[in-house]
Every structure is written in C-alpha cells, then in structure tokens.
Amino acid sequence: MGPGPSDVHPRITAAMARPTIGHLDPVFVGMMDQVKEMLQYAFATQNTLTIPVSAPGSAGMESCFVNLVEPGDKVVVCQNGVFGGRMKENVERIGATAIMVEDEWGKPVDPNKLEETLKSFPDAKIVAFVHAETSTGAQSDAKTLCEIAHKHDCLTIVDAVTSLGGSELLVDDWEIDAIYSGTQKCLSCTPGISPVSFNDRAVEVIKNRHTKVQSWFLDTNLVMGYWGPNAARAYHHTAPINALYALHEALVMLQEEGIKNSWQRHMDNHLALRAGIEAMGLSFVVDEPHRLPQLNSVTIPDGVDEAQVRSRLLTEFNLEIGAGLGSLAGKVWRIGLMGHSSRAENIFLCLSSLEAVLNEMGADINTGVALSAAQKQLSS
Ligand SMILES: *Cc1c(COP(=O)(O)O)cnc(C)c1O
C-alpha cells in the first residue's frame, strides 16, 4: 500500500511467465494491436498514436517532451509536487525555457495562476501539468487546465501515471494533446512500461519540427515504424515481450471490470479507509474535493517517530506504506489504494496494524473504532 508499485494480480504474473516469442512473430503482432486498442479504451481516446513505450513512466514523460518540445520553445510547467519538477528538468535539458506556475504541495494546480501566466507569456507553446500528484495525493482539474491552455493556443502534456484506471480520465473529451502513464500504479501491472497517447494536433507538431528529436530511442517517427497502424513492423528495438504480456492481461482485466467500475472501486475503498482513519482521530492533508482516492496522505500524530512506524508495519505486518516527500517529508504517510491493492482486506489490514503500532507507541489516537467505521462505510 505504498505509492506504487501496487500489488500485481496473479493473473498478470502468470501471463508474464508465458513463453517468449519473437517481437516480429505474427501472433505477437496481433497482440500488439489488441494492446493499442485496449489502451485507447483505458485513455478514452480514438488517437491512433496510442502505444506502450518500452520503459517506465519517466520514459513516457520524456517521450512527450522530446517529441513536442524543441530548443528555444517556451513551456509552462505547473508544479505542485515532485513530478512537476521533473517536467521542468525535461524542458531545460531540451534547451527550451520552463515558465513555472507553482502551487503549494498538497494543493491542486490553480487555474487562475495558469491563466495569468499565459497572458504574460503569449508565445508559450505548451502547458504541462500532473493530473494526479502521487507525491502529495492532490488531483488537479485536467479538463479546466486544458481549456485554458487551448484558449491561449498551447498544446497540453499531461502526466497521468497515477490517475489512469484510478480516477476519471477522458483524453478525447478533455482534449488532452499528449499524455503518458505507467503500468505499476492503478493498472496493477509490473513496472517498466509507459502507455502514451498523442492526438492529431500533437502529431502535426511532431511532423513539422525544425530539429530532429534529440532522443533516437523515443523518437515517435521511428517507433511508429514498429508500432504504427499499417506499419512495416520494422525492427526498432526488441520489444519487452513478457512485460507486454503482463500489460495485455492487465488491460483485459480492466475491460472485464469496466473502467467506470474501476474508478468507482477506487473511490469506494478510499471512503472506507478515510472513515477508519478519521475515526482513529487522524486527518488528511489534501482538501476533500482535490483528494486522490488512490493515494491517501495522512497526517502523523504528534510525537511519533514516523519512520519507525513504517518500518514496524513492514517487518511485523508485511505492509508497506510510503513516506512524505519534499515539504511534506516527516509530516505525512502516503497510503496507496491503487489497482489490485485497492480492496477491502487491505483497508482492514492497514487500519488494524496502524492502530496496533500507534497504540503501542503511546500515540494519542482513538482505539477500537476504526474497523467498524470502515465496515459501516463499505456496507453503506
Ligand atoms: C510513478 C510516477 C512517475 C514515474 O513513473 P516511473 O515508472 O517510476 O518512471 C511519474 N509521474 C507520476 C505522477 C508518478 O506517480
């Protein structure tokens, strides 16, 4: 129950153990088409350029930036946690300028600040932001931020590593131009693959670049020779065959559950955990309307050695929870309810073991009430 990787369903690890066939094998090529189709379903998009990048979420981030940004461009980067800082790094390493819109950690990106910034920088080309900030547990309003960006003629790059599968995400309806995600958060798959999607507007920008994409490996023009529609399926790199079996199975499971049901399950389980946490007398850092159901930042009671709590949960109860980062370090625990980890048995394990450890350490919490509060919420 950390901030990812989440628990991997046994069906997914079993899929991974299938024999490794060639990356040009017709059976494998057929599976590639299914993966692309199922990713379109997950992202709620018709974008043809919707593919899994053969590397973790950070490579999906880099793929969006290196393909869309050229040296000298101005990119507005909204930062309200760790991952916005990485976007800035990406922009600067390309030789472009990052214009920062900063919000407090634990708060969503402020649309008014974005609007003001875009008025001051009319030549900005792209707006980039994180939909679900895993480092804090805050969710930003992607639809509104995209509307503002488009009003000022900017393309959008959206980090959906933690939102995909866990919270509402509608790439076409919200007109997101480029988006990347990861496999190990709410898709509950093994780490190492990054689904990305680019719409026609973004593809147009990539086609009309003045300079070569600085990364050979991530250049979508080359990658599409292997992954693209009607592509020759020419060798670009050896696809991570078994990791893609795993992603395929994860996406089959997402379709079986239904994406809306998956969003709802994440919300229902978050509400049950919340009921227990609050009954214990602990509270949440992020204001309710912006709280991520899949990543719960919970305040640490006074006088408690937070690292010792995490270590005891791990060694005595086999339960991992995450530490706070940046300005929230030492102030919060980050409890993940992502993908296959988001289920009732984990809520009860977390509440009961946290209560036991905190009580023994002499923390000022309410005991004997958390489990029934969670149960009441689950059956409501
Ligand atoms: C996990 C995460 C990433 C990075 O993904 P990796 O697979 O670790 O490279 C990027 N952005 C967000 C919001 C994340 O939660």
Side-chain angles (χ1 to χ4, degrees):
M1 300 177 80
S6 52
D7 272 355
V8 178
H9 194 282
R11 264 178 68 179
I12 294 170
T13 37
M16 224 176 173
R18 287 175 198 152
T20 307
I21 58 175
H23 63 282
L24 302 174
D25 187 302
V27 173
F28 187 71
V29 167
M31 194 195 84
M32 288 166 71
D33 288 335
Q34 291 177 6
V35 166
K36 285 197 293 179
E37 247 172 63
M38 290 190 289
L39 282 178
Q40 288 176 326
Y41 169 75
F43 277 129
T45 184
Q46 301 293 321
N47 293 341
T48 4
L49 183 38
T50 302
I51 56 166
V53 171
S54 303
S58 306
M61 175 186 287
E62 195 129 356
S63 167
C64 289
F65 282 91
V66 295
N67 280 284
L68 288 172
V69 182
E70 293 195 67
D73 284 347
K74 287 203 175 93
V75 180
V76 174
V77 174
C78 306
Q79 179 171 15
N80 60 341
V82 166
F83 293 100
R86 293 192 176 180
M87 289 177 151
K88 177 173 188 264
E89 271 292 317
N90 270 269
V91 171
E92 290 176 346
R93 283 171 192 236
I94 292 168
T97 306
I99 300 155
M100 301 305 290
V101 173
E102 296 192 47
D103 278 290
E104 213 179 298
W105 289 37
K107 301 267 187 259
V109 173
D110 181 347
N112 295 321
K113 280 193 199 166
L114 174 62
E115 177 108 56
E116 288 310 309
T117 305
L118 288 170
K119 279 183 191 155
S120 310
F121 294 91
D123 54 344
K125 175 178 163 187
I126 288 169
V127 169
F129 64 88
V130 179
H131 184 210
E133 240 313 341
T134 326
S135 64
T136 68
Q139 174 151 254
S140 290
D141 181 350
K143 182 169 184 264
T144 301
L145 296 175
C146 286
E147 273 168 17
I148 295 170
H150 290 143
K151 205 168 90 187
H152 294 270
D153 289 326
C154 284
L155 289 186
T156 49
I157 295 178
V158 178
D159 179 323
V161 176
T162 283
S163 49
L164 184 67
S167 325
E168 186 183 47
L169 174 62
L170 303 170
V171 170
D172 284 0
D173 281 7
W174 299 350
E175 298 190 33
I176 293 170
D177 299 294
I179 190 162
Y180 59 91
S181 189
T183 44
Q184 79 278 25
K185 309 263 164 100
C186 295
L187 295 182
S188 256
C189 184
T190 46
I193 302 273
S194 177
V196 297
S197 184
F198 296 85
N199 70 9
D200 290 346
R201 223 168 2 207
V203 169
E204 215 35 49
V205 168
I206 298 172
K207 280 192 184 142
N208 292 309
R209 288 177 62 101
H210 307 294
T211 55
K212 268 190 180 179
V213 173
Q214 68 173 43
S215 160
W216 176 86
F217 183 67
L218 295 172
D219 184 341
T220 50
N221 298 301
L222 305 177
V223 174
M224 287 306 270
Y226 180 56
W227 274 100
N230 315 313
R233 304 289 183 192
Y235 169 64
H236 176 263
H237 63 277
T238 308
I241 308 292
N242 296 63
L244 287 166
Y245 294 160
L247 175 59
H248 183 275
E249 190 68 16
L251 292 168
V252 168
M253 291 181 67
L254 182 68
Q255 281 199 327
E256 285 172 3
E257 181 176 19
I259 185 111
K260 288 186 179 158
N261 295 332
S262 180
W263 298 336
Q264 190 60 50
R265 171 170 56 84
H266 283 86
M267 182 51 80
D268 292 344
N269 288 331
H270 156 73
L271 291 175
L273 179 75
R274 178 185 111 175
I277 289 285
E278 290 181 346
M280 227 187 274
L282 306 180
S283 58
F284 283 76
V285 175
V286 178
D287 295 336
E288 183 169 0
H290 315 296
R291 228 174 258 167
L292 279 173
Q294 59 274 54
L295 196 285
N296 298 266
S297 285
V298 173
T299 50
I300 295 162
D302 287 340
V304 167
D305 178 344
E306 75 84 19
Q308 200 189 341
V309 173
R310 282 185 292 113
S311 147
R312 286 190 60 177
L313 288 177
L314 190 60
T315 50
E316 293 167 31
F317 296 91
N318 200 26
L319 176 70
E320 178 199 15
I321 64 169
L325 296 175
S327 62
L328 296 177
K331 294 184 186 155
V332 301
W333 289 304
R334 290 182 302 145
I335 303 176
L337 282 172
M338 297 179 178
H340 183 53
S341 298
S342 176
R343 53 193 205 275
E345 68 194 83
N346 282 345
I347 297 168
F348 291 111
L349 169 65
C350 179
L351 291 172
S352 56
S353 52
L354 192 59
E355 177 173 324
V357 169
L358 285 176
N359 193 35
E360 212 201 45
M361 287 169 74
D364 181 19
I365 54 160
N366 307 320
T367 55
V369 285
L371 295 187
S372 52
Q375 179 55 59
K376 202 169 148 211
Q377 174 62 37
L378 274 179
S379 50
S380 71

